[in-house]
Amino acid sequence: FGRVVSSLVEDVLMPPIGLILHRGDASNLFLSLTGKHYDTLAAAKLAGAPTINYGLFLNTLFNFLLVAFAVFFIVKQISRLKRLQASPAASPTMKECPYCFSTVSIKASRCAHCTATLDSGLSATP
């Protein structure tokens, strides 16, 4: 998976960025700390010049963001599927008094508000 993402970043995403920045390859973007101009990163490394390789950093950053997004999406889908499987039909815990329409516990035998006697079938007697 990592190789596919790396290829996507290096071969698909970075060339347009390099074109926008008027460079052939975005991974070849660097800043020489010696002040001398080098045409490529390889030439600067060959000369032993210290460089800040922000093009390589952008490649790595895009790789990380794509992998993080893919992992986030996969985890989100898995948790959604687990939630759908784990949610059984909840049994009711409350019922309504037919006289005063207040909510009482399903286990209650009398309404706490109007003191009507409640059956298990929700019929009440005053």
Side-chain angles (χ1 to χ4, degrees):
F1 182 75
R3 289 171 93 54
V4 171
V5 171
S6 293
S7 177
L8 175 69
V9 170
E10 292 170 6
D11 300 331
V12 177
L13 294 178
M14 292 311 281
I17 292 173
L19 184 65
I20 290 170
L21 298 174
H22 303 293
R23 288 282 181 87
D25 183 13
S27 65
N28 209 17
L29 298 173
F30 67 97
L31 179 64
S32 174
L33 297 177
T34 61
K36 293 182 184 178
H37 174 72
Y38 299 98
D39 290 333
T40 63
L41 179 59
K45 287 191 180 222
L46 188 63
T51 59
I52 296 176
N53 305 325
Y54 63 90
L56 292 174
F57 175 73
L58 286 175
N59 274 352
T60 305
L61 182 66
F62 284 141
N63 278 338
F64 172 75
L65 291 176
L66 286 174
V67 169
F69 175 74
V71 169
F72 169 76
F73 183 73
I74 289 169
V75 168
K76 186 174 180 179
Q77 293 304 317
I78 289 173
S79 83
R80 189 182 123 248
L81 289 173
K82 281 186 178 181
R83 227 178 315 134
L84 289 176
Q85 290 176 347
S87 61
S91 59
T93 58
M94 302 297 279
K95 61 184 175 182
E96 188 176 86
C97 175
Y99 290 99
C100 67
F101 301 105
S102 59
T103 306
V104 293
S105 172
I106 196 97
K107 296 178 182 179
S109 59
R110 280 196 178 268
C111 176
H113 303 280
C114 69
T115 67
T117 305
L118 304 173
D119 302 340
S120 59
L122 290 181
S123 61
T125 56

